[in-house]
Amino acid sequence: MPKTLGKVRPHPTQNEPLLFELSSPGKRGYQLPALDVPATDPEAALGAGNVRREIEDFPELSEVEVLRHFTRLSTWNYAIDLGMFPLGSCTMKYNPRINEAVARTEALAWAHPYQPEELSQGAMEIIATLEQYLAEIFGMSDVTLQPAAGAHGEYTGIMLIRAYLAAQGNPRKIVLVPDSAHGTNPATAVMAGYEVRTLASNEHGMMDPAAVAAAVNEDVAALMVTNPNTVGVFEEHIEEIAEILHAKGAQVYMDGANLNALVGVARPGDFGIDVLHANLHKTFSTPHGGGGPGAGAVGVKPHLAPFLPVPRLKREDGLLRWDYDRPQSIGRVRAFYGNFGVLIRALAYILAHGGAGLRQATLDALLNANYVRARLEPHYQIAYDARSMHECVFSDARQEKKGVRTGDIAKRLLDYGFHPYTVSFPLIVHGAMMIEPTETEPKAELDAFCDALIAIAREVEENPELVKSAPHSTRVSRVDEVSAARKPRVRWIRE
Amino acid sequence: MLAACGLSSLEDLYKHVPANALIREPLRIPPGMSEYEITAYFREKAAKMAHGYASFLGAGVYAHYRPVLCDVIVQRGEFLTSYTPYQAEYAQGTLQSIFEFQTMICQLTGMEVANASMYDGSTAVAEAAMMAYRITGRSRFLAAANLHPEYRQVLDTAAHNARMHVAGFPFDPETGRADLAALEQALDDDTACVILQSPNFFGIIEDVKAAAELAHRRGALLVVAFTEAVSLGLLEPPREADIAAGELQSFAISPSYGGPFAGVIATREKFIRQIPGRLAGETKDQDGNRAFCLTLSTREQHIRREKATSNICTNQALVALMATVFMSVYGKQGLRELALQNLSKAHYLAEGLDLRFSGRFFNECVVRPRRRSVEDALQVLLEKKILGGVALKRFYPELGDCLLVCATEMNRRADIDTLKEVLA
């Protein structure tokens, strides 16, 4: 006999069908105004062969059905608004809602990119001001805000290097990438027409100047370095390394994904970097939105400025203008002027903090990471003994002895109500667990997170199966990603 | 907390950083502002923008009504502040909505596979070209001269750096459509793909079927680009194309001075492993329940690194969600009615004006002002608080006497009449 009749769970938590399964013919959730001009016959205007009969299987729903559907889906997501998101190198910090509010300022949100420049001065001033503040934070002379994301910024940066070297007579062939690099770095270098050589990190998780010197020759165009790197360690020899590259006529590119550790404390332009990108959605608190949109600001030293993508802002007769007359430019990397709505949010963040506040945020981020490290070190193996900056990387070496891997610990964290750390990255750390708490987490949240990880370490000793079969409390249990890839079903089809 | 870290001051946190690398003086950025001051700052900037103007600007960015529900959903913190759904068990909301997005894009475009969005239309077209290169092993791209000029520029930048070649083929000066005879001449055995936009930059419908036949005869793919997604509510989708690459800005995404938008690439099932960007797939959890996860990521930069199909990492998930809600609200009938309203407004606008091209158009057309120069016409309209269209001289010197005007469901008859008076 069943213990209960009927429902055993509140219905919003049960499976939410797909939009297409909820659909029923004739339902509608929209209302258009009455047409105030004569209706045009589509077949006459477009030609019979150009008019589609219907959009097959497109959903038909009422407004409340659409609202409930997406509201229910939203409850199956973890988010910063629910708790700490300790993803290393991803910088998931609180997204202040003032940023959202100002990005929706009507005359900014409805601005058309081709409206007259005289009627776009406000937007252009926002872009110019953000460029100026970022140049100050980077220690660079010029900044472009056109790239749509971090990887797009990397691509732009490497193209700048290529154009600069080509203008010197030879674009060169090779880009050096440390083995701790983000996966986008080698992919970017290849897209820009370069061959990639990997540089091994030393036992402190850093680049070794002697190894760099041995790898650099006249064929090397650039080194792509992340600093602090993906093991959360400041590249202490960065100035010396930059000198080695520069002596051979090569350039130093910095992946600014970890800029959250540096703002107001150190400036890449001051330690030998020629070009860098920063992910505005990380350091400058624009929401990640489940995977985007972002923005990938690129800063350069003066020798690379002539090559920046068009258009550039210039001031003429007291007005800002878009300048397309840049003969050495690499060209356009995106239509229009970049992800302007994201730029507004980033500027709002900088305005809220001010110079001193940005520095304080960095110090708080460093403190939080070091606090988490101090609490977890007795329970998990730290990857490198070097000092941590804004994130700390552990390995699963101790738990592996019980057959439990970093991915299992991550899934068990879900049961404790936390999004996991970054799993299995960087690749050079066996069973990596990369944790970045950011400055916006209160101590109570850090403690709850550390308590959870410490409890899991104990579970691994006492009941490893519990951890290996996690998660136990999420809406779906462990998802079969292998069969999803073997036989991909990437759209719904009516059966 | 400092004591727990074994430190005595905040400065100790970075005392291992070489002194030379540390900042020497405070950042030259003014002190922090309150919320009220920040709001006032952006209001002051907004006051220096066009405000209260009727607009007939299109050319890749369209003013469409944004159903209230779209903003309500994307502002839910669980969508707004979540991360890329790598941990599937904790991101089913994002994953299912992406799966629905992919399905609706396939339904709209007549394709079989769509990705979870690209940065925007311009970069989507460049990525589609690179995809054609991977599929065909050929390195020459043929782009129609009436492809959005800024899309073409982005394509040129990407191709130049990958050491590939882009050639153009002209449009027919009479119809405004791509010149297919010229295309046939230009095609060769090294052509990876033909890139054709429909409706094209002039708003005119292209003959996708004929272009596909020409391309396929020489072993090239056909990439069909679109900037006005609303047109797909009424127009036959580019079923004969191999790749559809376009922009979804029309689907409830604010013009926002050019971004953020959401691009998309859709293609045939057989090219699934060559499509760049993310894909959400349906699968099961351990208990046999339906579940979703990111899939085929072996194509992606985080696994194959230097062999990756693209370096795309971020996509436009939140913006794509906005488009998904838009498509759900309008649905099957609504999208058609919306497209019909656009068609009707634009054809009412065009009636009696001097149209530069004879081709069939959707909601944009190229107009030659009869009594005034383009500059004068725009100035007169500005004084009537109307943004009158895009002067084509900046992109096509040979069309220096022409304006590209667009009408959507947002344009009221009275404003259209005023525009017509000035341009007649």
Side-chain angles (χ1 to χ4, degrees):
Chain A
M1 280 289 285
K3 280 187 196 159
T4 56
L5 292 170
K7 285 188 200 176
V8 292
R9 285 197 289 173
H11 84 269
T13 68
Q14 290 174 15
N15 258 349
E16 174 69 11
L18 292 164
L19 279 169
F20 318 97
E21 296 161 344
L22 288 167
S23 172
S24 34
K27 280 208 178 175
R28 46 187 279 174
Y30 69 98
Q31 192 169 27
L32 280 163
L35 191 58
D36 61 358
V37 299
T40 299
D41 173 38
E43 298 209 347
L46 299 169
N50 286 324
V51 180
R52 80 189 298 171
R53 205 165 44 81
E54 62 169 336
I55 311 171
E56 296 87 354
D57 290 328
F58 215 58
E60 296 173 84
L61 302 161
S62 69
E63 182 172 318
V64 69
E65 286 174 315
V66 175
L67 178 67
R68 281 192 186 143
H69 174 73
F70 288 104
T71 303
R72 286 175 184 171
L73 290 190
S74 75
T75 65
W76 302 346
N77 270 358
Y78 190 77
I80 278 286
D81 283 6
L82 290 164
M84 177 173 167
F85 229 121
L87 279 165
S89 273
C90 296
T91 310
M92 293 291 286
K93 61 173 75 172
Y94 167 60
N95 306 126
R97 289 307 198 274
I98 178 69
N99 301 357
E100 293 304 306
V102 295
R104 285 168 170 79
T105 308
E106 189 161 319
L108 298 173
W110 279 96
H112 192 287
Y114 294 149
Q115 68 192 36
E117 289 177 346
E118 292 75 10
L119 293 174
S120 304
Q121 291 296 303
M124 293 162 100
E125 285 172 15
I126 287 168
I127 295 172
T129 305
L130 183 59
E131 282 184 1
Q132 180 200 330
Y133 288 168
L134 290 176
E136 172 70 9
I137 290 167
F138 297 166
M140 293 290 178
S141 67
D142 296 86
V143 170
T144 176
L145 298 172
Q146 286 181 61
H152 200 212
E154 282 173 43
Y155 179 51
T156 303
I158 293 295
M159 284 195 287
L160 294 172
I161 290 174
R162 189 178 185 94
Y164 166 76
L165 292 172
Q168 315 283 300
N170 179 8
R172 304 188 174 203
K173 297 189 184 70
I174 296 162
V175 168
L176 302 175
V177 183
D179 54 8
S180 63
H182 289 110
T184 49
N185 292 175
T188 297
V190 170
M191 278 176 74
Y194 284 111
E195 240 174 82
V196 173
R197 295 272 163 81
T198 304
L199 285 178
S201 305
N202 66 16
E203 71 277 17
H204 305 293
M206 290 179 217
M207 280 191 298
D208 178 24
V212 176
V216 184
N217 57 36
E218 310 291 336
D219 277 340
V220 170
L223 165 74
M224 290 181 91
V225 58
T226 306
N227 194 25
N229 61 28
T230 59
V231 293
V233 171
F234 191 88
E235 295 282 357
E236 291 181 15
H237 311 293
I238 186 68
E239 278 187 299
E240 191 186 341
I241 288 170
E243 278 167 26
I244 293 168
L245 271 294
H246 290 152
K248 295 275 186 187
Q251 299 284 293
V252 184
Y253 178 89
M254 187 175 120
D255 179 323
N258 291 340
L259 199 73
N260 209 47
L262 298 183
V263 177
V265 170
R267 307 197 311 166
D270 296 345
F271 55 70
I273 304 298
D274 298 295
V275 48
L276 87 161
H277 85 265
N279 306 66
L280 299 187
H281 50 287
K282 295 182 181 179
T283 315
F284 301 94
S285 86
T286 75
H288 285 56
V298 172
V300 296
K301 290 275 175 65
H303 64 284
L304 292 168
F307 304 96
L308 286 168
V310 283
R312 300 282 301 149
L313 280 175
K314 67 173 177 188
R315 212 170 268 283
E316 210 176 69
D317 307 329
L319 283 184
L320 285 164
R321 302 261 178 214
W322 287 113
D323 180 12
Y324 294 86
D325 184 19
R326 311 263 310 170
Q328 289 190 286
S329 166
I330 57 168
R332 229 181 215 294
V333 296
R334 187 195 179 287
F336 315 117
Y337 324 111
N339 281 348
F340 178 68
V342 178
L343 307 181
I344 292 177
R345 291 166 173 87
L347 180 58
Y349 173 85
I350 293 175
L351 292 176
H353 282 76
L358 289 170
R359 178 184 167 88
Q360 186 60 49
T362 301
L363 296 179
D364 290 349
L366 299 186
L367 179 62
N368 281 356
N370 279 276
Y371 177 75
V372 168
R373 173 177 172 163
R375 282 212 60 198
L376 294 180
E377 244 184 298
H379 310 277
Y380 292 91
Q381 181 66 48
I382 194 85
Y384 295 97
D385 60 2
R387 291 301 308 269
S388 294
M389 293 291 280
H390 67 307
E391 58 192 3
C392 48
V393 182
F394 295 90
S395 87
D396 62 8
R398 294 183 201 166
Q399 288 70 33
E400 195 188 5
K401 290 179 189 129
K402 292 279 184 181
V404 176
R405 303 302 317 270
T406 176
D408 303 318
I409 299 166
K411 296 298 183 204
R412 183 61 179 153
L413 259 179
L414 302 177
D415 289 334
Y416 283 85
F418 285 99
H419 193 279
Y421 47 78
T422 297
V423 178
S424 302
F425 186 85
L427 304 173
I428 52 169
V429 175
H430 183 77
M433 309 165 59
M434 178 163 53
I435 300 169
E436 178 183 3
T438 82
E439 69 278 12
T440 57
E441 290 312 322
K443 180 169 179 293
E445 187 80 2
L446 297 178
D447 280 329
F449 172 72
C450 292
D451 289 346
L453 267 178
I454 292 166
I456 295 170
R458 196 164 54 235
E459 287 171 355
V460 170
E461 295 304 317
E462 292 163 3
N463 185 2
E465 278 313 307
L466 178 70
V467 180
K468 284 166 77 174
S469 54
H472 305 285
S473 67
T474 46
R475 200 192 67 83
V476 295
S477 59
R478 205 177 282 201
V479 169
D480 183 358
E481 298 185 9
V482 175
S483 65
R486 199 168 293 149
K487 232 187 132 198
R489 288 165 62 95
V490 295
R491 71 176 160 140
W492 174 84
I493 301 173
R494 183 179 292 281
E495 308 226 324
Chain B
M1 284 173 77
L2 275 171
C5 302
L7 301 170
S8 51
S9 80
L10 282 175
E11 283 64 36
D12 288 349
L13 286 161
Y14 55 80
K15 71 177 175 203
H16 59 292
V17 174
N20 267 344
L22 292 176
I23 213 159
R24 287 161 204 116
E25 49 195 74
L27 292 176
R28 283 169 298 177
I29 293 177
M33 291 183 185
S34 67
E35 231 181 70
Y36 173 73
E37 290 166 303
I38 294 168
T39 309
Y41 174 90
F42 285 101
R43 280 216 193 107
E44 184 226 314
K45 298 298 176 198
K48 299 181 188 176
M49 303 293 288
H51 196 63
Y53 284 71
S55 170
F56 292 91
L57 297 170
V61 179
Y62 304 92
H64 289 292
Y65 180 72
R66 304 179 61 237
V68 171
L69 222 48
C70 299
D71 252 10
V72 167
I73 301 292
V74 299
Q75 289 212 71
R76 283 190 69 89
E78 304 92 330
F79 282 127
L80 183 75
T81 74
S82 63
Y83 186 65
T84 307
Y86 291 134
Q87 293 289 342
E89 296 84 358
Y90 244 19
Q92 286 295 301
T94 293
L95 286 161
Q96 181 168 331
S97 71
I98 291 176
F99 184 82
E100 292 171 339
F101 170 83
Q102 291 170 179
T103 304
M104 283 194 271
I105 295 301
C106 288
Q107 292 167 341
L108 271 185
T109 58
M111 295 283 124
E112 295 163 336
V113 180
N115 68 11
S117 77
M118 309 292 290
Y119 303 139
D120 78 326
S122 68
T123 51
V125 166
E127 289 277 356
M130 295 303 162
M131 191 177 150
Y133 156 73
R134 293 192 296 272
I135 292 167
T136 62
R138 301 171 173 191
S139 58
R140 181 169 176 263
F141 309 125
L142 270 179
N146 51 21
L147 170 68
H148 193 298
E150 295 196 6
Y151 285 27
R152 169 63 193 267
Q153 290 166 9
V154 173
L155 175 67
D156 284 342
T157 304
H160 173 77
N161 278 277
R163 284 168 282 181
M164 292 176 201
H165 181 63
V166 189
F169 63 98
F171 57 83
D172 181 325
E174 166 64 28
T175 62
R177 297 169 80 173
D179 182 340
L180 295 185
L183 167 62
E184 191 170 14
Q185 288 280 310
L187 273 161
D188 65 15
D189 294 339
D190 192 37
T191 305
C193 66
V194 172
I195 303 169
L196 186 68
Q197 180 180 325
S198 186
N200 66 32
F201 187 66
F202 306 134
I204 294 169
I205 321 297
E206 294 284 358
D207 189 344
V208 170
K209 203 171 177 179
E213 275 171 26
L214 291 177
H216 292 159
R217 206 180 295 158
R218 296 301 290 264
L221 304 185
L222 179 69
V223 174
V224 170
F226 60 90
T227 60
E228 174 49 291
V230 165
S231 68
L232 289 163
L234 191 58
L235 284 175
E236 186 59 17
R239 297 181 208 275
E240 299 83 6
D242 301 284
I243 304 171
E247 171 59 62
L248 302 176
Q249 181 271 326
S250 290
F251 288 176
I253 301 164
S254 309
S256 194
Y257 203 52
F261 294 165
V264 71
I265 288 185
T267 187
R268 300 179 183 287
E269 188 96 47
K270 63 181 173 184
F271 300 138
I272 190 170
R273 282 168 206 278
Q274 294 302 338
I275 194 170
R278 298 207 172 95
L279 289 170
E282 185 185 332
T283 183
K284 291 198 181 322
D285 73 358
Q286 265 177 347
D287 304 320
N289 297 312
R290 175 155 76 187
F292 299 91
C293 63
L294 291 180
T295 192
L296 291 184
S297 52
T298 48
R299 305 161 304 119
E300 273 189 67
Q301 41 80 20
H302 51 90
I303 307 284
R304 289 178 39 160
R305 299 166 74 94
E306 60 269 19
K307 291 194 177 67
T309 48
S310 147
N311 76 340
I312 294 265
C313 182
T314 302
N315 65 341
Q316 303 287 112
L318 194 72
V319 193
L321 175 66
M322 208 180 292
T324 308
V325 179
F326 176 93
M327 289 187 276
S328 312
V329 168
Y330 274 100
K332 189 184 229 170
Q333 288 310 315
L335 212 52
R336 187 181 181 88
E337 244 183 77
L338 178 63
L340 275 169
Q341 284 218 356
N342 275 255
L343 182 80
S344 300
K345 298 260 183 174
H347 283 75
Y348 174 74
L349 183 162
E351 203 181 85
L353 295 184
D354 180 12
L355 292 189
R356 173 65 182 74
F357 297 121
S358 62
R360 298 173 187 276
F361 62 95
F362 176 60
N363 68 353
E364 286 182 277
C365 57
V366 176
V367 175
R368 219 167 5 199
R370 282 212 179 87
R371 291 174 285 128
R372 299 178 167 90
S373 69
V374 163
E375 292 72 25
D376 284 350
L378 288 175
Q379 193 51 44
V380 170
L381 287 163
L382 272 184
E383 284 156 19
K384 297 175 188 288
K385 292 216 102 179
I386 290 175
L387 301 170
V390 176
L392 283 177
K393 191 164 75 181
R394 66 187 286 188
F395 301 119
Y396 300 92
E398 72 272 30
L399 299 175
D401 57 350
C402 295
L403 269 177
L404 179 62
V405 291
C406 171
T408 73
E409 77 282 4
M410 304 277 276
N411 293 107
R412 294 174 310 162
R413 182 175 189 151
D415 294 320
I416 302 177
D417 288 338
T418 309
L419 179 81
K420 288 172 70 128
E421 275 167 35
V422 174
L423 299 183

